[in-house]
Amino acid sequence: LRRALDVIVQSSRPDHPDGAAAVNNLGKLLQATNRHPEAEALYREALAIKRQTLGPAHPSIALTLNNLANAVRDRNAFAEAEALAREGLEMRRVLLGDEHPDVAESLHDLSAVLWLKGDFVGAVFNEDLSGLSDDVTDVVITLEPYTP
């Protein structure tokens, strides 16, 4: 994946959204292999490129905010992780609407942060689910709880 990233960056401007997507994806791979500091650095790089090239709000930016929040959560920086998760959630809500599955993913990840920081009530009730469709609330309710 690092070689693919090098090819993408060399074949386009370093600040191109395709390069940012590759950086984000490499971060995801590193996070999955417990290389959290490296993943976090790549998410921050991808986020900076995306904000520069895509503007202040874009679904791809929300995705990277969510990924970065998870990486930050994994190093127990819960206040920062919560802020990032809430920013990504709000962006997804505005851009995609409350019924989108990505909103459910963001709700789940925010709940994981709140749970790990000891805010058990907030983790369970961080959002009013009453206005969401049954399909979306089923996704939120049935997602596996985060266990480190």
Side-chain angles (χ1 to χ4, degrees):
L1 197 51
R2 282 192 192 272
R3 178 66 184 126
L5 176 61
D6 289 343
V7 169
I8 290 169
V9 169
Q10 289 173 2
S11 66
S12 65
R13 296 186 336 261
D15 61 348
H16 191 274
D18 289 345
V23 170
N24 181 79
N25 292 342
L26 179 57
K28 195 77 172 156
L29 175 68
L30 292 172
Q31 187 172 0
T33 57
N34 295 318
R35 295 167 66 182
H36 303 291
E38 294 171 87
E40 182 180 337
L42 289 174
Y43 291 144
R44 289 187 189 282
E45 180 182 345
L47 184 60
I49 294 168
K50 288 178 179 186
R51 283 186 163 152
Q52 178 184 356
T53 59
L54 299 173
H58 189 278
S60 185
I61 293 171
L63 170 69
T64 300
L65 281 166
N66 202 65
N67 291 343
L68 178 57
N70 290 336
V72 170
R73 176 201 65 210
D74 289 342
R75 68 170 166 81
N76 299 327
F78 300 128
E80 182 184 3
E82 180 181 351
L84 290 163
R86 288 189 186 280
E87 183 182 355
L89 171 61
E90 182 59 27
M91 191 177 297
R92 281 178 163 172
R93 282 192 148 148
V94 168
L95 296 172
L96 305 173
D98 282 342
E99 301 296 317
H100 198 279
D102 288 352
V103 172
E105 177 187 29
S106 289
L107 285 167
H108 174 262
D109 290 344
L110 175 58
S111 291
V113 171
L114 295 173
W115 182 269
L116 289 171
K117 77 178 223 179
D119 182 0
F120 305 118
V121 173
V124 175
F125 299 107
N126 69 32
E127 295 292 328
D128 176 11
L129 303 180
S130 63
L132 301 179
S133 74
D134 289 341
D135 290 342
V136 173
T137 55
D138 286 348
V139 170
V140 174
I141 292 167
T142 60
L143 285 169
E144 291 294 318
Y146 177 77
T147 53

